[in-house]
Amino acid sequence: MISSIAQYWIDKLVDGSPVGKALSLSVEGAAIDRVTLAMPISHDIMTTPGVMHGGMLATLIDTAGAAASASGVIEEDKVTGGATTHLSVAYFVPARTDVVAIAAVVHRSRTSTMTDVAVSDSDGRLVARGQVTSRIFH
């Protein structure tokens, strides 16, 4: 189970941010070092009719990585925020449906995390994959 401070940071990243609201992001699940976010497709985030813009997928990957980074913080860490220091994205097939990102931290230190993120469409196809390195501020 994640700490209350971890939940606070996840909520702030997803529900409390203008980007999270604009993309209608929602938290589907959260555990220490693993967060699942959902993003519905809409006309506003398409690059061509019926295809989600790659930048929206990159933003989802970035946000999911940050949320997974936040999922492991505890009160004693006295976290004041965080930032992405590196983002890498590979695209495989066009996203034409709602998507889900599963972010799993693969390395954690007191000041940084590295997270792998897989994005799948409603049919379970892998749409994109990313890696996010996050800095944790104290």
Side-chain angles (χ1 to χ4, degrees):
M1 181 168 181
I2 64 173
S3 67
S4 60
I5 193 70
Q7 189 65 56
Y8 165 81
W9 285 109
I10 292 169
D11 291 345
K12 186 172 178 152
L13 282 164
V14 179
D15 300 328
S17 76
V19 169
K21 289 177 186 175
L23 296 178
S24 300
L25 300 182
S26 61
V27 178
E28 299 294 308
I32 295 173
D33 290 341
R34 187 175 176 91
V35 171
T36 302
L37 299 183
M39 182 170 71
I41 193 165
S42 73
H43 178 73
D44 293 336
I45 63 173
M46 290 183 189
T47 185
T48 60
V51 177
M52 191 179 292
H53 189 282
M56 302 304 107
L57 291 167
T59 302
L60 172 63
I61 289 169
D62 184 29
T63 305
S69 180
S71 72
V73 301
I74 56 175
E75 290 285 344
E76 293 79 17
D77 291 335
K78 298 186 185 334
V79 171
T80 59
T84 298
T85 60
H86 182 79
L87 174 67
S88 172
V89 180
Y91 302 95
F92 304 116
V93 298
R96 298 179 186 276
T97 68
D98 297 349
V99 292
V100 172
I102 299 173
V105 173
V106 296
H107 174 76
R108 178 181 291 279
S109 72
R110 184 173 183 278
T111 58
S112 68
T113 57
M114 180 177 282
T115 304
D116 285 334
V117 184
V119 179
S120 299
D121 65 14
S122 295
D123 296 323
R125 289 180 300 181
L126 186 62
V127 171
R129 192 165 191 111
Q131 191 170 69
V132 182
T133 304
S134 301
R135 177 93 166 113
I136 302 169
F137 302 130
H138 301 272

